[in-house]
Structures are given as C-alpha cells and as structure tokens.
Amino acid sequence: WLLFRKPFRLGVGLMNWGYLVAVMPVLLALLLISAGIEDARLRTIANWKNALIVVLAVPWWVANGMTFWPDIAIQIGFAAVIFGFFVGAFALGQMGGGDVKLIGALALWFPVQPMIWLLIMMSLIGGGLTLVMMIDRWRRQDKAPIEIPYGVAIAIAGLLAVQEPVFNQFT
C-alpha cells in the first residue's frame, strides 16, 4: 500500500510529504466518523463532507507519488465505475444519495483490492445493521418502513480500511 512511501520530487525541489501522508488518513477518519454520526442522527450526509473527501484525495495522490498516467487515471476510472454502480442502487431506491456520494468519494482513496475489501465489509456491516433495525421494529411492533442509515456501515468499513495499512504496514 502507498502509505509509507519515500519523499516525492515535485518541480525543482525535494519536498518531504511524509507528514501529509501521516495526517491525511486521520482527516479521512474524522470525516468518516462525522458522516456516520450525521447519518445515524439525521439520515443524511452533508455534501460538503463528501466534497472534502474528494478534494483531499488529490493531495493524497501527490503525497503518495502517484503519476497522472496511469495511476491517477486508473484511480479516477475505478471510482467512476464504483460510483456508477451505486447510482444504480440509488435509482432503484435502495440507497440514499449521500451514501452513494460517500462510496464514490472513498473509491478515490483506495486501490482496487482494498476498495473491494471495503465494499464487502460495508455489505456485512450494513446487513447486520439492517437485521438489528428489523428486530427493533418487530419488537416495537412498528409498521413504518425501515430507513437504514447505511452511511454508518460505509463509515465503519472505511475506518477499518483506513486503519489496516496504518497499523499493519509490515504485513
């Protein structure tokens, strides 16, 4: 994974991007925690949080020494495919727009294999969350449709994906 790369040469001078590589996952984690809490409380995720995750992906790419071609182009293409897939889920009424935007924004941060792992974890966590909410609805004998705060599952899976390379960099 690209988390602990050597300094990156930009222009004529050598810049040490190590501090940025260390800080960026923390910023992403804070945004994910905030988005998860907001979705649990309000059933919405603010557009500015998703936009900030997208914007912060650019210095993340630079700090990790990604080249425009093919690294960044592949990352953007992969994120577009992921986003498009989940737009389909939104069109079918299966996910909220904020959830779809959050997944698309996260896809800009993770290479293919970690992103697939994130999506699998998101699905498992989301299924567990749905089951808990269905049991609660049955217990309360509520007939209203369940509105799942899927941003919580996305945020938890994102946090698991962020911490993995940070704490297990030697594996």
Side-chain angles (χ1 to χ4, degrees):
W1 221 71
L2 298 173
L3 194 63
F4 295 97
R5 289 194 76 147
K6 294 184 181 190
F8 172 72
R9 185 171 295 281
L10 182 66
V12 294
L14 181 66
M15 297 186 71
N16 186 346
W17 291 86
Y19 71 92
L20 192 58
V21 173
V23 170
M24 298 297 285
V26 174
L27 292 175
L28 178 60
L30 291 173
L31 285 166
L32 287 171
I33 291 168
S34 176
I37 291 170
E38 181 179 19
D39 198 37
R41 292 181 64 223
L42 306 173
R43 299 299 194 268
T44 187
I45 300 171
N47 284 333
W48 70 266
K49 290 176 186 174
N50 291 323
L52 189 55
I53 291 171
V54 169
V55 169
L56 289 174
V58 176
W60 176 249
W61 299 334
V62 172
N64 282 293
M66 294 176 71
T67 59
F68 180 74
W69 188 263
D71 300 333
I72 294 173
I74 289 171
Q75 194 71 40
I76 291 171
F78 176 63
V81 169
I82 295 290
F83 181 71
F85 178 81
F86 285 99
V87 165
F90 171 76
L92 295 172
Q94 302 300 309
M95 292 188 85
D99 301 333
V100 171
K101 289 179 265 187
L102 184 57
I103 294 168
L106 283 175
L108 292 170
W109 281 73
F110 297 100
V112 175
Q113 187 174 1
M115 188 63 195
I116 290 171
W117 183 83
L118 185 150
L119 293 173
I120 291 168
M121 291 305 299
M122 176 193 78
S123 299
L124 294 172
I125 294 165
L129 181 62
T130 301
L131 184 60
V132 166
M133 292 186 76
M134 286 177 61
I135 291 169
D136 182 58
R137 186 182 89 166
W138 173 78
R139 184 188 56 80
R140 291 183 293 120
Q141 297 181 350
D142 189 1
K143 301 296 180 200
I146 300 174
E147 191 173 322
I148 308 298
Y150 218 79
V152 172
I154 299 165
I156 292 170
L159 289 168
L160 290 171
V162 166
Q163 74 83 28
E164 180 62 25
V166 173
F167 295 113
N168 296 320
Q169 73 269 19
F170 299 111
T171 60

